[in-house]
Structure formats: C-alpha cells, structure tokens
Amino acid sequence: MHKKLLYSVICAGLLLSACSTPYNCGRLLAGEKVITTSPNPDSIYLYTPAIAQGFGGRFVVAVDYGGPGTYSLDGPKSDFGDYKAGNQIRVLLSDDKGKTWRETPARIPMMHEILFKAGGSLYMIGHSGRLLITRSDDNGETWSEPAVLCPEPRWHQSCTAVDVYDGKVTLVYEKWVAEKHKWPGVGPVLMQAREDADLTDPSNWKFSELYNPDDDMEAARPSGIPVNAPGAPGMLETNVIRVHNPANPFYDATGKSVALLARASTGFPDIGVMLKGYEREDGSLAIGRFRKNEGEVYFVHIPGGDLKFHILYDPESRLYWLLHSQIDGRMNYRRRLALSYSPDLLRWTFAGLVAVGPTDHSARHYATMIQDGDDLFIVSRSGDERARTAHDGNIVTFHRIKDFRKLIY
C-alpha cells in the first residue's frame, strides 16, 4: 500500500463530504409503505431485503428472517444462521409497481440473499455456511431446492449489485478468511457464468481466488484509519459495477473488468474500498487493484461507505446512483437513508433523503433499489417503535422516488 496515495484519497473524500451542502435535505424524496412485518419483533428480525424486476413488470422481493425465535416459523431454516435457530428467506410479489403485495408459500433455508434475473429465470444466491443457489422458472412464485455451489464453509454477503453484460453474469460473494478472524473477517470472491446457462449447476460457474484484505487494512494504520480489530479485515458487502465512460480512468474497452465497490468497516463513515475484478487471458478470474496517477487505488470516498450501500447505473443520465446511510454525527448510524449520484464512482453529489426512522432504533438502512422507467423503487431493512434495535428491525418498507433524474443539479 502506498501511504501517500492512501492518505490523499481519504483526504479528498473527506473534503468533498464536508464541503457538500445539500439544499434539499429538509424533505423526503419518497413516501413509504410497510410490506411485511415480523410476527414477533422481540425474537424474529427482518434482515436485508432484496428486490429484482421479474418478467411482465412484476417486482420480486426476498426477505431474510433471522433471530433466536425463527425456530417457531413454519418451513425449513438454514443450518447456519444469525442465531442457532437458523434463517429463512420469504418472497413477496407485486404486479402493480408496489401498490399491493402478496407473500408466496416459498420458505427457503438460507440467508444473505442476492436476487437477480438471468436468461428466462430468476435466481437467488445465498448461504447456509456453504454457498447455495435457487431458481424460479415461474416469475418468483415457486423456487427450486437450493443447490450447493460450493460445499466449503463459511460464506457471507448482503444484497448488492450484480453485473449482467455481454451474456455473462458477474457478482461477488464473500468467504471467511479464517475462522480465527473476528468480525468482519471476510474477503471477496469473484463469480461469473453465462447468462443463458443453468446457474444452479456449479460446473457453469467460474470463481476467483479469495482476495484477502488483511494486508491492505493493516497498511492503513500508519495513515490513521482505525481498523476494527488487530488482524481483522474490514471489507465486505461488495457491489459489482461496470465502468461505461471511456474517459473514466477505470474504463476497460475489452469489457473484461469491473469495479468492485465495498463497505470499509473503519472509523470513517464516508470511506469505502474499490478493487478491480477481471478476467485473465486464460479466462480465469482474479481480483486486484486499479492504477491511477501512477499509484494503486484502494480506499475511496463513498458516502455512507462504512455500512452496506447499493449502486445502479442509469444509461440515460449516464450517472451512478448510490443508496446509502447518511452520517448524522454518530457512528453506526442506521436511521437516515439517502441517495447520491456520481459520474465516475469517485465524486458524489447528495440528491436527498429517502427515509428517516421515527426513533434512533427505528432504522432505514441496508436498502436495495431497481430502476423502472423514470422512477427508482427501493426496499429497506427497517424498524418502527417496536424494533428491538436499529440492527434488528421488524419491518420491511417500500419506497418510490418518482422522476429521479430531476434531482440532478
């Protein structure tokens, strides 16, 4: 790690964050609708939801149920979970752009799901210690028995951006670096498959080696970044983003590389990690560094970068849109959900607040979004006054931002 570059990247990010004065932070960009509620807020928690566009205009949402009380839920639960009782994914559908929702009978025994469309099917990747995937061939109504993509434990992720380009699906799931590590001891693994293949067949996937961020995080200490714990990497919940602008220094005309933007669990709320995922000449996958200004990029300015965020690219505005938590003067802030945009993944402009929880422990965070026409549709891991903590929420909320491009200034 080049200490000079590391310091300059961080300082540029902090200055940009401090000098940006949002003029529309006094109003919310969207209303909200509660689309599902925990049957027992004290012991069953609704963790990160995923949203995807199905076929024929349908919206599909997957919700991760966890907590010590999940043993009381009907249906199978994951072998490995947030608590010993295991986790369970449930699926909600809407055919009227989120005005009404219905829950399907699906009870999927896994956690930390990523939901996406590929070929003529919907897919959901998750884990139960080992890496799993399930497929729906009827637009989200029913799901196959989870197939094992990798039998080795222990995996981790959240619902982050997937790249579908040139007939290929590329995403990141994360693997525990070693059982001895403290949280968050994971590193990214790049995965890729043909879009039209049977993605429940592990032979159709390519995997990179695990990228171990231990050395990167340790190298940050002389620059003043307080890594969570000695020896514990702090990079997780990685988005896979394609760089579209040829003027961007990270652009790849061959189409064989993507940007990997991840949460950086450090003492700075607006710092994230950027890595490069790429295909070697022999077709194998790898993760490395981007080079910029004769140095290597690692830490970059990302608003809310120390919590899970979600990014999508809008071809019409040619901007990246970032759904993130907003700093409010405290660490581990989860109450305020915000939207920002960028032309290049480096310079971010605040667009406004999407939602604010009614109390400190009533979060609006770990959200995921899709674009449909001129609108953004968002699902958030949320809580009301009955939520056990800001982390352990009891509701999932749905938000619609109409004419989102009008927020550009």
Side-chain angles (χ1 to χ4, degrees):
M1 174 68 67
H2 300 282
K3 296 178 184 178
K4 182 177 180 181
L5 174 64
L6 175 69
Y7 182 77
S8 65
V9 169
I10 291 172
C11 285
L14 292 177
L15 285 172
L16 180 58
S17 179
C19 295
S20 299
T21 305
Y23 62 78
N24 57 347
C25 60
R27 64 180 179 87
L28 298 182
L29 302 179
E32 74 176 34
K33 176 193 292 289
V34 177
I35 62 174
T36 191
T37 304
S38 167
N40 185 347
D42 292 330
S43 65
I44 299 175
Y45 317 130
L46 303 188
Y47 289 131
T48 306
I51 186 170
Q53 289 174 297
F55 301 91
R58 171 170 287 182
F59 291 174
V60 182
V61 167
V63 182
D64 184 352
Y65 281 59
T70 57
Y71 70 89
S72 65
L73 298 176
D74 293 334
K77 270 76 70 175
S78 61
D79 298 328
F80 179 90
D82 290 292
Y83 293 81
K84 290 183 179 179
N87 286 39
Q88 183 184 90
I89 304 293
R90 296 190 176 186
V91 178
L92 305 171
L93 305 176
S94 176
D95 292 309
D96 53 13
K97 296 188 183 297
K99 293 179 182 177
T100 60
W101 294 85
R102 61 182 174 88
E103 185 178 307
T104 74
R107 303 290 185 265
I108 304 171
M110 61 188 194
M111 62 189 297
H112 294 167
E113 78 282 3
I114 296 179
L115 183 63
F116 62 96
K117 182 169 61 176
S121 301
L122 290 164
Y123 288 93
M124 192 188 309
I125 288 184
H127 77 94
S128 180
R130 59 200 183 281
L131 185 62
L132 305 173
I133 188 169
T134 177
R135 183 181 72 216
S136 175
D137 294 323
D138 54 10
N139 214 9
E141 299 282 355
T142 61
W143 295 80
S144 65
E145 185 74 18
V148 178
L149 288 183
C150 180
E152 299 175 2
R154 173 183 173 196
W155 295 83
H156 174 274
Q157 241 296 14
S158 190
C159 184
T160 53
V162 174
D163 179 64
V164 181
Y165 176 81
D166 193 28
K168 298 177 183 178
V169 176
T170 307
L171 59 90
V172 160
Y173 220 85
E174 295 153 354
K175 201 169 189 301
W176 215 257
V177 172
E179 289 295 334
K180 66 180 178 65
H181 276 70
K182 297 180 180 180
W183 172 257
V186 299
V189 175
L190 191 68
M191 302 170 52
Q192 188 179 83
R194 293 294 308 175
E195 183 183 0
D196 57 1
D198 176 8
L199 302 188
T200 64
D201 183 347
S203 68
N204 288 327
W205 286 92
K206 295 190 295 185
F207 294 80
S208 75
E209 296 293 327
L210 167 73
Y211 186 95
N212 185 343
D214 276 1
D215 292 343
D216 299 320
M217 302 307 274
E218 288 302 316
R221 293 182 186 278
S223 296
I225 297 181
V227 180
N228 271 355
M235 172 191 170
L236 66 161
E237 297 165 352
T238 307
N239 292 263
V240 178
I241 306 295
R242 184 160 298 277
V243 177
H244 295 274
N245 185 354
N248 190 304
F250 308 131
Y251 177 75
D252 179 3
T254 70
K256 292 186 177 182
S257 68
V258 288
L260 309 180
L261 281 89
R263 169 186 174 185
S265 187
T266 69
F268 292 102
D270 290 341
I271 296 296
V273 166
M274 176 183 281
L275 289 172
K276 177 182 180 180
Y278 62 98
E279 184 178 344
R280 297 189 182 101
E281 290 186 5
D282 64 3
S284 63
L285 301 178
I287 297 175
R289 301 278 192 85
F290 283 108
R291 295 191 62 82
K292 188 176 186 296
N293 299 332
E294 298 184 0
E296 290 185 328
V297 175
Y298 187 67
F299 288 104
V300 292
H301 169 63
I302 301 175
D306 70 333
L307 280 179
K308 184 261 186 188
F309 54 86
H310 191 255
I311 302 177
L312 64 76
Y313 178 73
D314 171 42
E316 184 171 328
S317 63
R318 294 189 292 180
L319 294 172
Y320 297 92
W321 294 82
L322 171 71
L323 191 59
H324 62 94
S325 293
Q326 187 197 48
I327 185 171
D328 60 1
R330 294 164 292 179
M331 288 304 297
N332 295 321
Y333 51 94
R334 297 174 182 266
R335 186 182 178 189
R336 299 158 68 91
L337 182 63
L339 184 72
S340 296
Y341 59 87
S342 170
D344 56 11
L345 299 171
L346 297 174
R347 299 167 294 165
W348 294 98
T349 299
F350 180 80
L353 284 175
V354 177
V356 179
T359 68
D360 281 348
H361 69 275
S362 305
R364 299 292 185 273
H365 68 140
Y366 270 65
T368 308
M369 62 181 162
I370 57 174
Q371 176 193 340
D372 187 86
D374 296 326
D375 300 342
L376 297 178
F377 295 89
I378 296 164
V379 286
S380 171
R381 173 175 152 187
S382 300
D384 58 23
E385 291 84 353
R386 299 170 298 162
R388 180 175 175 271
T389 65
H391 181 276
D392 298 333
N394 64 313
I395 58 176
V396 172
T397 53
F398 176 79
H399 312 259
R400 179 178 186 173
I401 301 177
K402 297 182 179 180
D403 298 321
F404 71 96
R405 297 183 192 93
K406 291 183 179 180
L407 299 171
I408 302 169
Y409 61 93

